Amino acid sequence: MMKKAKRIAIFDTTLRDGEQAPGCSMTLDEKIMVAQQLERLGVDVIEAGFPIASPGDFESVRAICKVVKEPVVAGLARCVKVDIDRAGEAIAGAAKGRIHVFLATSKIHRQHKLKMDRKEVLKRAVEGVKMALSYTADVEFSAEDAARTEPDFLREVVEAVIEAGATTVNVPDSVGYAVPEQYGEMVAMLMSEVGNVARAVISVHCHNDLGMAVANSLAAVRAGARQVECTVNGLGERAGNCALEEVVMALKTRADLYGVETGIRTQQIMNASRLVSSVTGIHVPPNKAVVGGNAFAHEAGIHQDGVLKEKTTYEIMRPQDIGLERNTLVMGKHSGRHAFRQRLEELGIHLDDERLDHAFDQFKRLADKKKDIYDEDIEALVREEVEAVPETFKLIGFHVTSGVGVTPTATVTVEVAGEGVKTDAAIGDGPIDAVCRAVDRITGIPCQLQDYAIRAITVGKDAMGEVTLEIRSNGRRERARAAKTDIIEASAVAYVSAVNRLYQWISAGKPKGEKPHGM
Ligand code: KIV
Ligand code: ZN
C-alpha cells in the first residue's frame, strides 16, 4: 500500500505581513477580494490582520471572518491583554478563528527592544497563550527572531508554550538571517529535543533579506515543520516573505524529495498573483519564479527546439498547473453582459450587481475605442471598480499643450463635492507634471509625485496604458492606478484618485504616524 503523503498547512499572511510593507496597503473591499481568492486557492489559514494596529485592521479581520468559511482566519496580537482582547473580538464571528500571539525571544531583541530577561519573556509568552485560549482553542505562538535565539532558550520557550496550550508554534526567521542548513537544523533540534512537540504543529515564517526565504522554508519542511507561512508574490516587510507560489510549486514539483502535499489548488495561483499585484500596485518582475511573465517563455533557439520536440526537456512545471493558459483574445463591442459576467467568473472575479453594471458600462466604452479586448483589459477595468473610493474630487476634463520649444501647460476641470465645478491651469516640466500641478491648485492639497510607472496592458497601438503612481503629502503615501487608451488621461485619473484616497485619510482624522508594528 502507498504511504500517505504528510500534509503541510499553508498559512497565508499576505493581508498582514504583506500588507504591512510600504506601498502595499489595501482597502477593506480589496482585502475581502483577496481573502476570497485565497479561499479559492485553498490556503489553510488566512492571517487577516493585526486588529490592535488600527480600526481599519480590526474591521477587516472581522469582515473577512464573515465571508470566509473554509480557511482558519487568524488575527495577530502581541502578548499583552489589550492586543489579545482586540484580536479575540475581531475573530469572534469566524467559522474557524485563531489568535496568533508573538513575542521576541532572541538576546538582541530581549536586551534592546523588550528590556526583559529570559525569565520575563518566558512568563509573558505563557501568559499570552493562556489569555488567547480564553477566546479560542486554536492558538499560535510565534517566537519572534527565533532563528537568532539561543537554542537552549528557544527549546525552553517552545516547550513552555505548548504546555500552556499553544496548538501551533512558529519559529520565524524574522530578519532573513538564516541559511537553509542552519535553519533546518534548528527545526530538527526542536523536533527531537522538545518533549511535548507532538502536541503542536511546528511552523516556519521566513523573510527574504538574503533571498533564502523559500529555501529556508523548504529546509524546515525536510526537518519536520508542518506549517509554512508565506505571502502571494512574496510580499512583506523589507525584502518580503517566503513566496507562496514558489514554496507550493517546489513541494509539488519535487514531491519525490519532500514526500509531502499541500491543499493548494495550484490552478488558482495565477489568479491570486494577478489580483494581489493589481490591488497593491506592486508589479511582478518578468523573471520572478513561477508567476513572472517570462517564467514559461522559452526564448533561446536551442530551448525552443527542445520544448517543441518534448516539453519536459526544459519545462519542469506545466503552465496549466498554475492556471496560466487562458483565453487571450476574448471580447469585442458586440459581447453582451452575460458573456462579460461569465468571463469575469472564469478570471476568478466576482462583482455584485451594481459594480458589474458599472464595469460593463466601462467595458462598452472601451470597446468603442479598442477593437479587441483581452483578459488583461477586463482585469484593469475591474480593478478600478474595486479600488474606487468616494470621489470628493472628480476629473471632468483637461486640455494640455506640449511640444518641443513650448512650455507644457495644462488646464484642468474638477468637480469638487459640495463646491461645484472648478477650473485652473498650471505649467510644468512636462504635460503630466502640469496636469498634477493644476489638480493641486484646485484641491488645495499639495502632493509630491513619489513614484510613477506606465506600462502597456496588452499589445498593439491601441493598447491601454496603465499608470500606477504614488503621491506623498504630510508623510502619508497613497497609491492609485488607472488604465486608458490615452496615457495623459490615465495619469490624470490616477492622480485624482490618489488625492481622493489622501483626502479620505485626512478627513478621517488619522494620526500622522502609520500603524504600530509593535515588533
Ligand atoms: O517576522 C516575524 O517574526 C513576524 C511574526 C509576527 C510572526 O511577522
Ligand atoms: Zn514576518
Side-chain angles (χ1 to χ4, degrees):
M1 203 173 80
M2 284 252 294
K3 218 168 127 210
K4 198 169 174 321
K6 293 190 191 77
R7 174 73 189 267
I8 302 295
I10 297 295
F11 175 114
D12 180 277
T13 183
T14 308
L15 295 169
R16 199 277 299 168
D17 214 323
E19 211 247 353
Q20 218 164 281
C24 289
S25 51
M26 304 175 212
T27 64
L28 177 61
D29 281 351
E30 290 166 348
K31 287 184 187 175
I32 289 175
M33 265 188 101
V34 171
Q36 288 173 324
Q37 177 56 29
L38 290 173
E39 182 164 31
R40 283 191 285 276
L41 182 62
V43 305
D44 299 277
V45 185
I46 296 176
E47 185 163 52
F50 188 5
I52 195 73
S54 68
D57 257 45
F58 175 82
E59 280 312 327
S60 51
V61 175
R62 211 150 68 153
I64 289 168
C65 286
K66 284 194 196 133
V67 298
V68 155
K69 293 289 162 258
E70 269 312 305
V72 171
V73 180
L76 184 67
R78 291 169 295 188
C79 281
V80 292
K81 190 165 180 335
V82 275
D83 280 36
I84 296 170
D85 288 346
R86 196 77 172 136
E89 204 185 328
I91 62 148
K96 302 176 198 167
R98 172 179 298 185
I99 297 183
H100 176 191
V101 288
F102 73 99
L103 183 63
T105 50
S106 66
K107 190 170 177 187
I108 195 160
H109 279 231
R110 291 193 317 261
Q111 282 183 346
H112 300 287
K113 187 182 79 172
L114 300 174
K115 309 218 183 300
M116 288 181 200
D117 60 13
R118 282 186 176 199
K119 221 169 123 204
E120 182 69 9
V121 168
L122 196 64
K123 180 170 156 275
R124 300 263 185 123
V126 166
E127 281 170 4
V129 168
K130 289 189 176 158
M131 275 188 262
L133 281 167
S134 65
Y135 289 99
T136 168
D138 187 345
V139 172
E140 171 167 340
F141 174 81
S142 277
E144 193 194 357
D145 205 17
R148 290 193 299 171
T149 300
E150 307 92 312
D152 64 320
F153 185 52
L154 185 62
R155 195 170 48 224
E156 202 181 339
V157 172
V158 172
E159 190 154 310
V161 293
I162 295 176
E163 208 45 50
T167 43
T168 302
V169 181
N170 184 34
V171 284
D173 177 21
S174 309
V175 292
Y177 179 74
V179 296
E181 297 77 6
Q182 172 219 350
Y183 195 62
E185 274 168 25
M186 180 192 83
V187 171
M189 177 278 286
L190 295 172
M191 298 308 296
S192 68
E193 295 182 22
V194 172
N196 55 7
V197 75
R199 280 164 37 199
V201 169
I202 295 296
S203 167
V204 289
H205 172 118
C206 297
H207 280 268
N208 206 29
D209 299 64
L210 291 173
M212 284 185 274
V214 174
N216 286 337
S217 305
L218 292 171
V221 168
R222 287 273 270 176
R226 289 292 168 264
Q227 176 176 283
V228 174
E229 304 197 357
C230 46
T231 57
V232 174
N233 297 340
L235 291 186
E237 286 277 9
R238 306 180 308 279
N241 286 65
C242 169
L244 180 150
E245 60 282 0
E246 293 179 25
V247 78
V248 165
M249 289 313 286
L251 291 175
K252 181 177 163 84
T253 309
R254 298 308 311 272
D256 59 320
L257 190 69
Y258 294 102
V260 297
E261 61 183 23
T262 70
I264 295 297
R265 290 182 270 276
T266 61
Q267 299 83 349
Q268 287 292 333
I269 283 180
M270 270 322 290
N271 281 346
S273 168
R274 287 196 169 112
L275 178 66
V276 168
S277 162
S278 80
V279 298
T280 58
I282 309 285
H283 292 152
V284 172
N287 62 337
K288 162 89 174 60
V290 183
V291 292
N294 290 348
F296 290 88
H298 302 279
E299 185 70 27
I302 191 165
H303 290 198
Q304 287 181 347
D305 181 54
V307 170
L308 287 174
K309 285 177 178 145
E310 167 54 45
K311 278 195 166 54
T312 55
T313 49
Y314 285 96
E315 219 166 71
I316 59 161
M317 297 170 269
R318 296 180 317 159
Q320 57 269 37
D321 287 345
I322 60 157
L324 194 60
E325 279 182 359
R326 306 193 303 173
N327 222 349
T328 39
L329 180 62
V330 277
M331 308 175 95
K333 67 197 276 181
H334 302 296
S335 309
R337 193 176 180 280
H338 180 70
F340 182 68
R341 180 196 276 272
Q342 196 175 333
R343 193 73 203 122
L344 288 182
E345 300 277 331
E346 284 161 12
L347 294 174
I349 300 167
H350 305 267
L351 295 182
D352 58 35
D353 284 348
E354 195 185 326
R355 282 185 162 161
L356 181 78
D357 286 346
H358 198 252
F360 182 62
D361 200 41
Q362 298 296 323
F363 163 74
K364 284 287 180 189
R365 280 169 206 253
L366 180 63
D368 276 338
K369 294 189 189 159
K370 196 171 182 295
K371 189 167 150 278
D372 299 323
I373 301 199
Y374 298 84
D375 287 345
E376 287 80 358
D377 294 319
I378 294 179
E379 282 169 338
L381 288 181
V382 172
R383 246 184 332 251
E384 283 176 39
E385 231 6 82
V386 172
E387 288 167 4
V389 290
E391 284 189 302
T392 309
F393 306 106
K394 184 174 178 186
L395 183 73
I396 302 293
F398 68 90
H399 173 82
V400 290
T401 320
S402 176
V404 178
V406 291
T407 303
T409 310
T411 307
V412 174
T413 304
V414 170
E415 187 177 336
V416 183
E419 294 180 27
V421 174
K422 297 185 176 182
T423 298
D424 214 323
I427 56 170
D429 286 342
I432 293 165
D433 185 40
V435 167
C436 297
R437 285 171 191 269
V439 171
D440 286 357
R441 287 171 67 89
I442 296 173
T443 62
I445 307 173
C447 305
Q448 282 119 37
L449 193 57
Q450 287 290 117
D451 192 16
Y452 178 93
I454 184 159
R455 68 177 183 119
I457 288 188
T458 54
V459 291
K461 287 187 185 134
D462 66 351
M464 285 208 287
E466 182 184 56
V467 169
T468 308
L469 53 76
E470 186 176 288
I471 59 167
R472 190 187 182 100
S473 183
N474 262 330
R476 174 78 178 174
R477 298 199 287 192
E478 291 292 350
R479 287 183 88 84
R481 70 167 75 224
K484 303 279 169 204
T485 46
D486 175 330
I487 57 169
I488 299 184
E489 184 186 353
S491 307
V493 172
Y495 189 78
V496 172
S497 150
V499 175
N500 276 319
R501 283 170 181 247
L502 184 69
Y503 183 82
Q504 261 216 318
W505 178 75
I506 295 170
S507 52
K510 292 271 169 64
K512 294 254 176 329
E514 288 293 303
K515 296 171 185 171
H517 285 246
M519 288 181 254

